[in-house]
Amino acid sequence: MDNQLNSRARNSVPTLVVGLAAAVLAIACASPADSQRDAATEPEQRLELVEVDAPAGDGAQSANLATGADGGVYLSWLEPSGEAGHALRFSKLGTSGPASWSQPRTIVEAESFFANWADFPSLVALDGGGLVAHWPQKSGDGTYAYDVMLARSEDGGETWGEAKPPHDDGTQTEHGFVTLLAEPGGGFTAAWLDGRNTGPPSAGGHGAGDGGHGDGGDGASTAMTIRGASFDAAGNQIAQAELDARICDCCQTSGVAVAGRVVVAYRDRSEEEVRDIYSVTRGEDGQWTEPVLVGPDNWQIAGCPVNGPAVSARHDTNAVAVAWFGLRDGTPEVKLAISNDFGATYSDPVLIERGSDGSATLGRVDVEWLDRAGWVVTWMTDVGSGEGEIRYRIVDGSQTSAKMGPTGVLATTGSSRSSGFPRLTRDGDGLVMVWRQTQNEERLHTARLRLSATPAATN
C-alpha cells in the first residue's frame, strides 16, 4: 500500500542512473592444494533461489525477517483487515522436512496502524523463548503523528502483553524506523527516530529521491533525533539515551548485537545538509559512543531519500559490515564498509554498484554474513518499463580486506515504492529473503537462498 509516505513532496533528485560492473571475480574458498589450480578452473560461488510459499494474504506489505537464538526464522508483515484496518501477523519457518511456514498468528489488529511502504514493523525472538514486536501507530490527527509500540509474548505468540511505547515524551510527532535487537539473557535493545524536537507534525514533508522527505526545522533543536533504549528479560526499560541530535527524518535504521556490544547505523544530517551514513556503538559498559562516519559520500541534499543502511555481523570474528545507498559526485552508488573494532573505525568502502547508462539504482539495501562465502549484499535497481530487479553481490569476507565477488539477479518486481524493501536473514548455512511482488499482483514472496558452486568461465 503506497500511501502516506508518498504525499510529502517538496524536493526532487535527478534520475539516479546505474549499471552493473561487467567483471565478476571468483571467491577463493578452497584448500591450499586447490589454490594451486589455474584461476580459470576455480569454482565460483553463486546464490540459488528456491521459493517457499509465503503465508501472507493478498495485499500484504511491510514484511520483515529475523533469526532467533535457536536459529528459527520469523517472518512478520501487515495485512489488510476489515474496511480500514490492518493486522500485524507473523509465521515461523519450519526446520525439518520440506521448507514451509507455520500457520500465521496475529499480534495486533487495529485501524490505527501507520501503514506505509518504508517504515515497517518487526519481530525478534529472544533468549529463553520470548518474542517482542514493534509497529508504528497513529498518535494524533497529524499525518505524521505516530508512535512506536512494543509488545511481548511469552508463549510463542499465542498471547501478547500490553503494548507500550519506548519513548515517554508524549508529543504527537514522528516516532519510527525502529531497530530491534535481541541480547543474551532475554533482554533487547530498541533504537528509533524520535521527532520530539521537531514541533508540529506538519513541519516537514516526504519528497526527495525514491520517496523522499523534506525535513522540518533548520537547527539541532528542531531536528529529528535517534534514541536508544535497553530492556531487561522482564521487559522493563533500564536505560534510554539520545544517540544523535540531528539526523535524516525517515531513513531506516539498522543494527547488530555482538560480543556484548550494540552497533546501530543511520543516515545523519549535518548543518550543511550532508546526508552520509554514521554509526554509534554501545560498549560493554553500557555507554554509547559519539557518532562515527561510515563512508564519506558527502551527499548534500535538502530532503531525506528514505533509504537507510543495513548492518550485519560476522560473529566468529566480531566483524561488522554496513551497506548503504548514496550519491557521490552526483552519481548513485551502493557500497559496503567493514569494521573490525565494533564501529570505532571502518575500512575503505567497497563499491557494489555505481551509476552508468541503462538502469537506475533504487538502493533499498540489505546485508548478511554467509558462511563459506562472505557478505551478501542485496539492493534494487530500476531496469525500465516499471520493472525492478533485486540484485545481489557476494563480497569476500576476510577480516582485513573486502573484494568483489559474483553478482546476479535474485528476483524481479515492480520498481515503484509499493514494492517496498526486500529483507534478508540467516537460515542455517544459507539465507531467507522476502520481497513484495507488485507486477500483476500485490503479494509477498519468500525464498531460501543457498550457495551453488559452478565452474568459472574459461578464456
Side-chain angles (χ1 to χ4, degrees), residues 69 125-130 152 154 181-188 231-235 257 260:
L126 306 174
D127 275 3
R152 285 170 54 94
E154 302 299 341
L181 300 171
E183 298 197 65
F188 66 96
F231 297 80
D232 63 19

Side-chain angles (χ1 to χ4, degrees), residues 91-457:
S91 179
K92 185 177 181 181
L93 188 64
T95 57
S96 61
S100 63
W101 294 99
S102 67
Q103 185 69 22
R105 288 179 172 171
T106 298
I107 299 170
V108 63
E109 188 171 357
E111 294 184 0
S112 56
F113 279 107
F114 184 69
N116 63 87
W117 73 287
D119 191 356
F120 29 85
S122 67
L123 176 146
V124 296
L126 306 174
D127 275 3
L131 301 173
V132 61
H134 106 271
W135 62 90
Q137 180 173 297
K138 293 290 293 178
S139 63
D141 294 334
T143 304
Y144 300 97
Y146 67 99
D147 289 337
V148 172
M149 301 302 292
L150 296 174
R152 285 170 54 94
S153 172
E154 302 299 341
D155 55 13
E158 290 189 18
T159 61
W160 291 82
E162 179 185 0
K164 299 178 181 180
H167 45 85
D168 57 4
D169 55 287
T171 63
Q172 293 184 7
T173 56
E174 182 177 332
H175 303 79
F177 299 94
V178 176
T179 290
L180 278 183
L181 300 171
E183 298 197 65
F188 66 96
T189 287
W192 68 93
L193 303 194
D194 192 296
R196 66 183 64 189
N197 297 332
T198 60
S202 60
H206 293 269
D210 184 30
H213 182 295
D215 303 299
D218 297 318
S221 63
T222 59
M224 184 68 72
T225 67
I226 183 171
R227 300 184 72 86
S230 301
F231 297 80
D232 63 19
N236 301 310
Q237 186 173 146
I238 55 178
Q240 185 179 149
E242 181 180 89
L243 311 184
D244 194 322
R246 182 182 171 88
I247 67 166
C248 235
D249 276 34
C250 57
C251 281
Q252 297 78 19
T253 65
S254 183
V256 66
V258 57
R261 299 168 174 86
V262 168
V263 180
V264 175
Y266 57 94
R267 190 176 296 281
D268 194 58
R269 177 190 177 197
S270 76
E271 295 286 350
E272 294 74 31
E273 301 292 8
V274 174
R275 312 281 178 134
D276 287 348
I277 303 300
Y278 278 69
S279 75
V280 289
T281 300
R282 195 193 70 206
E284 292 179 293
D285 61 358
Q287 301 301 305
W288 291 92
T289 64
E290 291 297 314
V292 173
L293 177 64
V294 176
D297 295 333
N298 197 34
W299 185 9
Q300 190 174 38
I301 176 177
C304 178
V306 196
N307 233 314
V311 184
S312 181
R314 178 181 175 181
H315 290 267
D316 60 339
T317 65
N318 298 328
V320 174
V322 180
W324 73 96
F325 167 85
L327 252 68
R328 185 171 60 88
D329 300 327
T331 304
E333 297 178 332
V334 172
K335 292 192 284 192
L336 179 80
I338 297 173
S339 173
N340 292 304
D341 51 16
F342 305 104
T345 60
Y346 288 89
S347 66
D348 291 337
V350 174
L351 183 62
I352 304 298
E353 178 171 287
R354 181 170 170 81
S356 65
D357 293 337
S359 56
T361 184
L362 300 176
R364 310 189 203 179
V365 302
D366 209 348
V367 61
E368 284 290 347
W369 170 255
L370 183 57
D371 296 336
R372 298 187 297 111
W375 307 101
V376 174
V377 182
T378 58
W379 69 98
M380 284 187 64
T381 296
D382 186 343
V383 294
S385 302
E387 183 175 287
E389 291 182 347
I390 302 170
R391 298 178 174 180
Y392 79 91
R393 185 179 290 279
I394 296 174
V395 179
D396 187 328
S398 68
Q399 245 190 307
T400 58
S401 65
K403 296 184 295 183
M404 300 280 273
T407 186
V409 176
L410 291 170
T412 60
T413 183
S415 60
S416 70
R417 298 166 188 162
S418 63
S419 57
F421 288 70
R423 299 287 87 188
L424 289 176
T425 195
R426 288 287 301 269
D427 173 35
D429 61 354
L431 303 171
V432 172
M433 184 174 77
V434 61
W435 70 100
R436 191 171 195 250
Q437 177 59 253
T438 59
Q439 292 179 310
N440 304 318
E441 61 176 355
E442 289 192 347
R443 292 188 62 89
L444 297 182
H445 287 244
T446 59
R448 304 181 84 176
L449 309 181
R450 296 293 184 266
L451 287 172
S452 175
T454 58

